[in-house]
Amino acid sequence: MLGEFLKAHRARVNPKDAGLPSHTQRKVKGLRREEVAVLAGVSADYYARLEQGRETNPSAQVLDALSRALKLDSDSRAHLHRLAGVVADEGHAPDVVSPELRQLMSGMHDMPAFVMNSLLDILATNALAEALYEPFSPADNAARMTFLDPAAASFYPRWNWVAQSTVAHLRQTADPKSQRLRQMVEELNQSPVFRELWEQHEVRGKTQDAKEFVHPAVGPIKLNYHSFDVREAPGQFLVVYQADPGPNADALKLLATSRATRAAASPGTTPVPLWLTGTAKSRP
């Protein structure tokens, strides 16, 4: 199947688009085997063996080179890796969030939204998500925030549940061969709870659930979240929080303006949390 896939996509590439002369008469549609080999930086014999099924263990680097030579989109590139039985490494999931996705998130004025990668790095946030995670310094990685930032204990009223969910999610999404993952685990092992949970090898991914917070500006708040794979950047996923109508929606609206309100407080004073001022009628 790998060879059939390569042959089919080789036939789809216009030689001119690949920077090759197209004025000569061609017996085959698209690129010749030798041309794909040159573009991918492999020998013609090696590429021929791939198409013929006599070579079945190409490396991830070779597959990447072939993807570029054949001008595969992200879905086709991922399928090529699956056909070869090769797990895409973390380099296949760029940590650059597209301008289009950033624009989409910025339009979600009443919903916190952010993009993470398979290692739970927070790659981009909209304004409301930035306000939601303001207690963390920095708000850069969900696992690090949960286990190593002192703010987590008061921010998550169900911290034990969040800790278990975070570790199980990291197990589910991260490439176990990743050098970056090994470095992260070494850092997170500063937390005895993380060490214990990591050794349990629980794997669990979630696409939707509810999460509770206690934000210093607006108090207790419960939000539903949904997680979506970013098709154009495999390994990235978009997380969107939403509040049910009522007290939680009121708190989320208050959070949207809390930064400006607190910034207007007298310099050198500690602003009173808004949920204690009576501004939000439904807060305790």
Side-chain angles (χ1 to χ4, degrees), residues 5-62:
F5 179 87
L6 291 172
K7 185 176 181 179
H9 281 270
R10 171 166 64 87
R12 298 178 186 179
V13 180
N14 187 316
K16 185 177 180 180
D17 293 338
L20 298 172
S22 58
H23 58 273
T24 57
Q25 187 175 0
R26 290 176 171 267
K27 296 181 180 179
V28 297
K29 185 179 179 181
L31 300 179
R32 303 183 181 98
R33 285 179 179 173
E34 297 79 6
E35 291 171 332
V36 175
V38 170
L39 291 171
V42 298
S43 71
D45 178 67
Y46 179 83
Y47 179 76
R49 286 187 280 118
L50 279 174
E51 275 203 8
Q52 295 165 357
R54 294 186 290 121
E55 172 59 56
T56 58
N57 294 299
S59 67
Q61 291 76 16
V62 167

Side-chain angles (χ1 to χ4, degrees), residues 5-279:
F5 179 87
L6 291 172
K7 185 176 181 179
H9 281 270
R10 171 166 64 87
R12 298 178 186 179
V13 180
N14 187 316
K16 185 177 180 180
D17 293 338
L20 298 172
S22 58
H23 58 273
T24 57
Q25 187 175 0
R26 290 176 171 267
K27 296 181 180 179
V28 297
K29 185 179 179 181
L31 300 179
R32 303 183 181 98
R33 285 179 179 173
E34 297 79 6
E35 291 171 332
V36 175
V38 170
L39 291 171
V42 298
S43 71
D45 178 67
Y46 179 83
Y47 179 76
R49 286 187 280 118
L50 279 174
E51 275 203 8
Q52 295 165 357
R54 294 186 290 121
E55 172 59 56
T56 58
N57 294 299
S59 67
Q61 291 76 16
V62 167
L63 294 173
D64 281 344
L66 290 171
S67 297
R68 291 190 293 270
L70 298 174
K71 299 189 178 302
L72 302 183
D73 60 21
S74 59
D75 288 341
S76 296
R77 178 190 52 74
H79 186 63
L80 175 62
H81 280 77
R82 288 194 295 269
L83 288 175
V86 175
V87 177
D89 64 29
E90 61 193 46
H92 295 150
D95 288 345
V96 177
V97 179
S98 71
E100 294 80 9
L101 183 53
R102 288 180 181 271
Q103 183 177 8
L104 175 67
M105 290 192 301
S106 68
M108 299 177 181
H109 302 295
D110 58 348
M111 294 181 289
F114 55 95
V115 177
M116 292 200 293
N117 63 14
S118 61
L119 293 171
L120 308 189
D121 293 318
I122 297 178
L123 306 178
T125 60
N126 68 1
L128 198 49
E130 188 174 346
L132 178 65
Y133 286 115
E134 188 179 26
F136 294 95
S137 181
D140 60 348
N141 178 279
R144 188 181 296 111
M145 291 157 62
T146 300
F147 291 99
L148 301 183
D149 195 310
S154 58
F155 186 74
Y156 297 117
R158 298 176 61 199
W159 184 86
N160 288 335
W161 176 85
V162 172
Q164 294 171 8
S165 178
T166 299
V167 172
H169 191 182
L170 185 61
R171 280 278 192 194
Q172 192 265 341
T173 58
D175 179 0
K177 300 178 182 178
S178 165
Q179 176 63 28
R180 169 81 195 289
L181 175 64
R182 289 192 288 271
Q183 294 170 347
M184 275 189 58
V185 170
E186 184 176 349
E187 178 185 8
L188 293 169
N189 274 337
Q190 298 175 52
S191 165
V193 177
F194 175 83
R195 288 200 302 270
E196 180 180 349
L197 292 172
W198 190 252
E199 290 171 0
Q200 293 176 9
H201 290 265
E202 183 178 358
V203 179
R204 184 175 67 254
K206 290 187 176 182
T207 57
Q208 63 182 66
D209 208 331
K211 209 166 186 178
E212 297 177 19
F213 312 91
V214 179
H215 195 282
V218 299
I221 181 172
K222 183 177 181 180
L223 301 174
N224 304 311
Y225 75 82
H226 294 262
S227 178
F228 308 91
D229 291 332
V230 180
R231 294 291 301 276
E232 65 188 18
Q236 292 183 11
F237 50 97
L238 169 68
V239 180
V240 179
Y241 285 109
Q242 189 174 32
D244 290 331
N248 293 301
D250 292 341
L252 200 55
K253 291 177 182 177
L254 184 60
L255 183 61
T257 59
S258 64
R259 276 189 164 185
T261 302
R262 287 179 290 121
S266 301
T269 63
T270 301
V272 177
L274 294 180
W275 63 276
L276 294 179
T277 67
T279 307

